[in-house]
């Protein structure tokens, strides 16, 4: 019976990891949790209760503290009764036993501390006005409590930490298949931030569950195109951090073989090295000036000991000409890399020139408040791509040309 209710070249490398881990976790706590009942996009409607999948414990599919995994589901109806969206929650990562112990005592490490109910918004909204193409589908949010984008496999006996993201992924998907998803005619795997990275890593696995069934299967990664970029001090902050995640969680064994056959495991935790090998159609929704990456990868505090970037990271209006040139170079790297890895015409992308992070769960998805490219809002662009109504390969001109953006710096 399931229980249902609601991270100066002179600085030492270990310090780089600790600082990024702490700031990334803090950012996750600030951006992903508002206390009490979690609300996505401020959408109206009824709260969606949590389902704690206690049966998964027997398979070793547990959060970092050993508690069961969980999800929220709002059932489909009418034309959407046999159609499913599975959304993977985001919330950064933990790259060491120490940082994972910190995470363990939060909702990102324990289902015991998760909100017992949520309001769905954006791509998960039940409002036809906010979510015209998917409002009546079965909409599922899989909660994130493993710290490695649903890809780890291991256990640390000394700390008692479970690294079981891959098992959580398998257990919850198998459970949803048993609830009727196996007979779906349309499915869409989505995720934001760390959840979007999980989408990239698991997209073909997801499609494999529907092999031979005639199901339309596609994937959407929102704010998950994390670049292997050089920071303002000249070294790779995020590569160091991701290397810790991969090693701590035992991720290597679960990464796509199309990548690990020729690259190291850390490289294969970067979407830019995985997407070209994905066979399932995938859509990339990303801001060219991704604020999480600006703050934590391009100009993290550890690479900026003098604080020259502090004001710029809080407001784009505080950036001087030199800093704006660096931000424009970051945008050029983002755009160039997306174009190089998304050559398949079955793939789509919407890369706008906004300073933000995550646009599918919030009002930026909304039919009346969404940023536009090629005269299409985000919801319309994703819908046209998914249903084959039009090819969508949209890239914005450089900041400040787009007046439709919602900025968070």
């Amino acid at each position: 019976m399931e229980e249902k209710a609601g991270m100066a070249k002179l600085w030492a490398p270990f310090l780089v990891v600790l600082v990024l881990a702490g700031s990334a976790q803090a950012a996750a706590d600030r951006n992903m949790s508002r206390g009490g009942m979690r609300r996505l996009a401020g959408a109206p409607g009824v709260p969606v209760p949590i389902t704690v999948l206690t049966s998964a414990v027997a398979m070793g599919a547990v959060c970092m503290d050993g508690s069961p995994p969980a999800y929220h589901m709002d059932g489909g109806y009418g034309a959407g009764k046999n159609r499913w969206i599975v959304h993977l929650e985001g919330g950064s990562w933990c790259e060491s036993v120490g940082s994972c112990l910190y995470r363990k005592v939060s909702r990102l490490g324990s289902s015991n501390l998760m909100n017992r109910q949520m309001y769905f918004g954006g791509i998960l909204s039940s409002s036809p006005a906010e979510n015209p193409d998917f409002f009546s589908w079965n909409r599922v949010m899989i909660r994130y409590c493993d710290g490695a984008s649903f890809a780890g496999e291991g256990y640390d006996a000394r700390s008692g930490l479970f690294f079981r993201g891959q098992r959580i992924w398998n257990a919850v998907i198998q459970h949803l298949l048993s609830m009727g998803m196996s007979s779906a005619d349309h499915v869409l795997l989505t995720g934001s931030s760390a959840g979007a990275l999980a989408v990239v890593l698991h997209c073909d696995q997801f499609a494999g569950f529907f092999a031979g069934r005639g199901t339309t299967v596609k994937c959407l990664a929102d704010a998950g195109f994390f670049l292997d970029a050089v920071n303002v001090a000249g070294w790779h902050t995020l590569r160091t951090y991701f290397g810790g995640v991969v090693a701590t969680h035992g991720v290597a064994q679960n990464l796509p073989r199309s990548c690990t056959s020729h690259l190291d495991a850390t490289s294969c935790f970067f979407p830019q090295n995985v997407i070209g090998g994905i066979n399932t159609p995938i859509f990339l929704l990303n801001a060219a000036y991704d604020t999480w990456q600006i703050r934590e990868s391009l100009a993290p505090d550890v690479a900026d000991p003098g604080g020259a970037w502090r004001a710029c990271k809080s407001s784009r209006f505080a950036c001087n000409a030199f800093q704006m040139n660096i931000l424009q170079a970051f945008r050029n790297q983002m755009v160039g890399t997306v174009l190089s890895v998304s050559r398949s015409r079955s793939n789509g992308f919407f890369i706008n020139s906004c300073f933000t992070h995550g646009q599918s769960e919030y009002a930026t998805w909304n039919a009346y408040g969404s940023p536009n490219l090629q005269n299409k809002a985000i919801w319309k662009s994703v819908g046209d791509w998914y249903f084959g109504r039009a090819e969508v390969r949209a890239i914005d001109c450089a900041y400040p040309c787009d007046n439709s953006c919602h900025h968070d710096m």
Side-chain angles (χ1 to χ4, degrees):
M1 178 74 67
E2 309 304 332
E3 178 196 345
K4 188 171 182 180
M7 196 208 359
K9 290 183 178 180
L10 297 178
W11 290 58
F14 72 89
L15 182 57
V16 176
V17 175
L18 289 177
V19 170
L20 180 58
S23 58
Q25 184 63 58
D29 291 344
R30 289 194 304 270
N31 297 335
M32 298 299 293
S33 180
R34 298 290 183 254
M37 190 181 298
R38 187 161 178 254
R39 193 175 185 87
L40 303 181
V46 297
V48 182
I50 197 170
T51 296
V52 179
L53 195 60
T54 55
S55 61
V57 175
M59 297 178 278
V62 294
C63 300
M64 285 193 295
D65 70 336
S67 59
Y71 67 91
H72 301 254
M73 176 176 173
D74 194 8
Y77 62 92
K81 187 175 183 178
N82 206 32
R83 299 181 172 191
W84 292 67
I85 287 180
V86 178
H87 186 83
L88 304 179
E89 185 182 28
S92 194
W93 310 266
C94 60
E95 89 312 327
S96 67
V97 168
S99 63
C100 290
L101 283 170
Y102 172 83
R103 189 182 182 97
K104 174 184 175 181
V105 292
S106 75
R107 64 173 185 80
L108 291 168
S110 173
S111 62
N112 296 328
L113 302 173
M114 293 174 180
N115 317 83
R116 306 331 275 181
Q117 50 190 359
M118 303 172 73
Y119 283 98
F120 279 180
I123 196 171
L124 296 178
S125 174
S126 61
S127 165
E130 182 177 359
N131 191 25
D133 282 318
F134 306 108
F135 71 93
S136 65
W137 289 32
N138 296 281
R139 287 154 288 114
V140 182
M141 164 75 80
I142 302 180
R143 302 302 298 269
Y144 182 37
C145 65
D146 67 275
S149 290
F150 296 89
E153 176 56 59
Y155 173 70
D156 185 73
R158 186 172 182 177
S159 65
L161 285 168
F162 293 89
F163 304 120
R164 298 286 176 78
Q166 184 68 35
R167 295 195 199 191
I168 291 173
W169 158 261
N170 288 330
V172 179
I173 296 299
Q174 290 289 357
H175 174 73
L176 296 175
L177 289 167
S178 73
M179 292 181 62
M181 191 171 70
S182 62
S183 61
D185 50 53
H186 288 73
V187 292
L188 176 60
L189 178 67
T190 78
S192 184
S193 192
L197 174 54
V199 168
V200 171
L201 298 178
H202 293 295
C203 185
D204 278 346
Q205 292 178 25
F206 186 66
F209 288 114
F210 303 91
R213 303 187 186 194
T215 308
T216 298
V217 185
K218 298 187 179 184
C219 303
L220 165 64
D222 172 24
F225 202 77
F226 298 98
L227 291 174
D228 190 3
V230 175
N231 67 26
V232 295
W235 32 279
H236 292 256
T237 313
L238 198 53
R239 171 165 283 271
T240 300
Y241 184 50
F242 276 1
V245 175
V246 169
T248 299
H249 292 259
V251 168
Q253 61 191 297
N254 296 318
L255 296 172
R257 296 290 183 261
S258 60
C259 182
T260 57
S261 63
H262 64 283
L263 291 176
D264 63 274
T266 299
S267 295
C268 294
F269 207 61
F270 284 95
Q272 66 196 72
N273 298 318
V274 175
I275 290 171
I278 295 176
N279 296 313
T280 307
I282 187 168
F283 192 97
L284 304 178
L285 169 60
N286 226 97
Y289 307 91
D290 185 289
T291 51
W292 189 94
Q293 295 189 63
I294 291 171
R295 292 167 181 151
E296 308 295 343
S297 177
L298 181 64
D301 290 346
V302 72
D304 179 38
W309 279 83
R310 193 168 300 138
C312 178
K313 289 191 293 184
S314 297
S315 170
R316 66 195 184 280
F317 298 117
C319 300
N320 59 38
F322 174 75
Q323 290 168 329
M324 282 306 307
N325 285 337
I326 292 178
L327 293 177
Q328 297 294 17
F330 179 82
R331 178 246 177 208
N332 292 342
Q333 182 180 356
M334 173 75 73
V335 169
T337 308
V338 167
L339 288 172
S340 69
V341 303
S342 299
R343 294 172 180 167
S344 171
R345 305 311 291 188
S346 66
N347 294 344
F349 46 79
F350 186 106
I351 311 298
N352 55 10
S353 289
C354 306
F355 287 83
T356 192
H357 180 71
Q359 300 178 92
S360 66
E361 295 178 332
Y362 311 104
T364 40
W365 175 265
N366 189 287
Y368 303 108
S370 175
N372 279 258
L373 283 183
Q374 300 174 354
N375 296 316
K376 290 183 184 179
I378 293 173
W379 71 269
K380 175 68 170 165
S381 298
V382 172
D384 282 356
W385 163 79
Y386 182 87
F387 293 106
R389 298 187 298 237
E391 185 176 86
V392 180
R393 301 171 69 81
I395 293 182
D396 209 350
C397 49
Y399 174 83
C401 72
D402 191 343
N403 293 322
S404 70
C405 279
H406 294 251
H407 300 292
D408 62 20
M409 69 173 277

